[in-house]
Amino acid sequence: MLPWSRAPRTPRARRTLVALLLAALTLVVPTATATAAPASTSAQAATSRGWNDFSCKPSAAHPRPVVLVHGTFANSVDNWLVLAPYLVDRGYCVFSLDYGRLPGVPLIGGLGPIDASAEQLAAYVDRVLAATGAPEADLVGHSQGGMMPHYYLKFLGGAAKVNALVGIAPDNHGTTLLGLTALLPYFPGVGGLLTENTPGLADQVAGSPFITGLTAGGDTVPGVRYTVIATRYDEVVTPYRTQFLDGPNVRNVLLQDLCPLSLSEHVAIGTIDRVAFHEVANALDPAHATPTTCASAIG
């Protein structure tokens, strides 16, 4: 969850995002190596809410497990307190992982090098497939969690194990940290500090070596269905159309085309917006899709 070049509309939002950046810049950690979070606490919390149940077996109606991939500064539980039960109630086996944790930084993820985070996703998908017996999974990610799986699909063999990727407000083509990265040349050493302490943020900067390598050769890979769900009011990944993908088997969706009354911004669309979640369900089961409207919020 990182800002693009346009500043937030309100002073409060601007102060919040600047504080996040400053907090990232002042993190003191022993190493920039990303670590997977301990399975116990988050897994138990999620299981108690109906997901991350590794005894779950996919049904004939929903034959693929769904793996939820959280965004930056989030974790496997808080990002999915609404969407995970929403999908469980509809008969899906739902799982979520923690990734990109840095040593000495508890509870929040998405800060480690994104290629290492993608390796953690690869291992987790393998674990889910082994437990469920399914040959493929579907991925649903919010913000960085909608972008990071592209590395898994393109470079780590994920395309053979994934049927669909649904990105909710994903920063598929990078961001610019409120435009502050344009100032980095005037502050020697700050860019290095950002890369050393929070490489997951540095990797998301538009034009970074990671983003350049990720998008080289096209946005998609054969054999995977892609859906991007964006909001016109995204104050983090802007302009919002930079989230959209180009390629075969792609559906780009603007939330306000489905529900003109929606005011959801970057966080809300991925955490509480049931109109967006109805469209996620459609993307997971297009053969039984139903129209997504404002009324879907109460469905």
Side-chain angles (χ1 to χ4, degrees):
M1 295 184 290
L2 293 171
W4 196 279
S5 57
R6 187 180 64 186
R9 291 180 175 84
T10 66
R12 180 179 179 183
R14 188 178 299 112
R15 288 195 300 270
T16 299
L17 288 169
V18 170
L20 287 173
L21 175 62
L22 293 177
L25 291 174
T26 56
L27 284 173
V28 178
V29 295
T31 174
T33 301
T35 59
S40 55
T41 302
S42 58
Q44 290 172 2
T47 302
S48 70
R49 292 168 170 83
W51 80 96
N52 276 357
D53 177 2
F54 279 84
S55 67
C56 185
K57 300 300 180 183
S59 66
H62 301 302
R64 292 177 298 276
V66 177
V67 175
L68 304 177
V69 190
H70 66 73
T72 310
F73 299 118
N75 61 53
S76 63
V77 175
D78 67 10
N79 212 141
W80 307 119
L81 289 173
V82 179
L83 179 57
Y86 179 94
L87 294 175
V88 169
D89 289 346
R90 283 154 180 77
Y92 288 92
C93 292
V94 180
F95 303 86
S96 62
L97 77 155
D98 288 302
Y99 72 87
R101 294 276 184 91
L102 293 176
V105 184
L107 302 180
I108 62 174
L111 300 178
I114 297 181
D115 56 352
S117 294
E119 291 176 358
Q120 293 169 22
L121 173 62
Y124 191 81
V125 170
D126 285 348
R127 181 186 172 199
V128 168
L129 294 181
T132 60
E136 291 182 315
D138 290 327
L139 308 181
V140 179
H142 178 214
S143 194
Q144 181 190 161
M147 174 271 288
M148 177 267 280
H150 289 281
Y151 190 94
Y152 167 52
L153 297 178
K154 294 183 82 170
F155 304 120
L156 301 178
K161 302 175 183 180
V162 172
N163 169 71
L165 170 61
V166 183
I168 307 172
D171 53 340
N172 284 324
H173 298 98
T175 181
T176 59
L177 290 172
L178 273 176
L180 293 179
T181 54
L183 299 176
L184 291 180
Y186 299 96
F187 296 91
V190 173
L193 179 63
L194 177 64
T195 303
E196 178 183 355
N197 281 2
T198 54
L201 300 185
D203 283 347
Q204 292 180 77
V205 173
S208 71
F210 178 83
I211 291 294
T212 299
L214 182 66
T215 57
D219 290 342
T220 64
V221 295
V224 179
R225 290 189 296 105
Y226 296 85
T227 301
V228 174
I229 305 172
T231 172
R232 187 185 306 277
Y233 302 112
D234 197 315
E235 80 286 22
V236 173
V237 183
T238 62
Y240 68 84
R241 291 190 180 277
T242 59
Q243 300 172 28
F244 291 155
L245 298 172
D246 184 30
N249 296 320
V250 169
R251 174 171 163 77
N252 293 313
V253 180
L254 180 63
L255 185 62
Q256 284 72 32
D257 287 343
L258 306 175
C259 176
L261 299 178
S262 176
L263 298 177
S264 285
E265 38 63 64
H266 183 80
V267 174
I269 191 177
T271 56
I272 62 172
D273 193 303
R274 291 173 69 91
V275 176
F277 297 166
H278 185 273
E279 193 61 18
V280 169
N282 281 346
L284 295 175
D285 187 9
H288 298 95
T290 58
T292 301
T293 67
C294 294
S296 302
I298 57 176

